[in-house]
Amino acid sequence: AFAREAGFDFLRIHIKLDDPILLYYADSLGILIMQDFPNFGEGGDTPTGRKRFEKMMRQGIQRDFNHPSIISWCLFNETWGFGGQTELMKWIGPEAGKLPPEALKQKLSNQSSFKWVHRMWEIAKTLDGTRLIEDMSVVVWEHLSAYGHVDTDINSWHFYIDDSAKAREHIAEV
């Protein structure tokens, strides 16, 4: 009700499957939801982590499928968990000059992870063909096709600018 009073009619439930009571109220109040799934966290891209993610994704879609407030599923937030930000920051931080160029090329074509993300997107599309599904909501560098963000129903992006005038200028430019 507070979101509605504040003028919001669309919310993103970020990196968690929330209590179904929240979805009930969103349904009742007419608030639209983009539903994220929990992510691994850095270092979590393991065979066990992938199995757990797929099971959770399947069960989450099955559990929450009948909530009309959900208009979209977002599978991954940025590249959390499969060699994402922590790894990439090495390339733009103080260690950048110490790393061989071949390693950067390999990092930017993290094919194993991106093929798996794509497979999860395909599975999600078969589980719910009624909603938009975003493979991963991305920050600026992750929009490179070599970085794996290619098949998706939504092409969102994150930017972190703490100056409102610069943020407006950035949005207008994009």
Side-chain angles (χ1 to χ4, degrees), residues 19 61 104 161 174:
D19 190 309
I61 290 173
L104 176 59
I161 299 172
V174 170

Side-chain angles (χ1 to χ4, degrees), residues 118 121 133-136 149-156:
H118 179 70
W121 181 80
I133 299 176
E134 184 172 24
D135 60 344
M136 62 179 164
H149 184 70
V150 289
D151 285 342
T152 188
D153 294 325
I154 299 173
N155 194 10
S156 69

Side-chain angles (χ1 to χ4, degrees), residues 18 53 79 86 100 112 141 159 172:
D18 221 318
F53 178 88
T79 53
T86 299
S112 170
W141 57 78
F159 64 93

Side-chain angles (χ1 to χ4, degrees), residues 44-63:
D45 187 8
T46 65
T48 300
R50 288 183 180 195
K51 274 189 203 174
R52 288 178 177 165
F53 178 88
E54 183 177 343
K55 180 179 179 182
M56 176 271 310
M57 179 188 75
R58 287 175 179 274
Q59 290 177 344
I61 290 173
Q62 181 181 17
R63 184 194 81 174

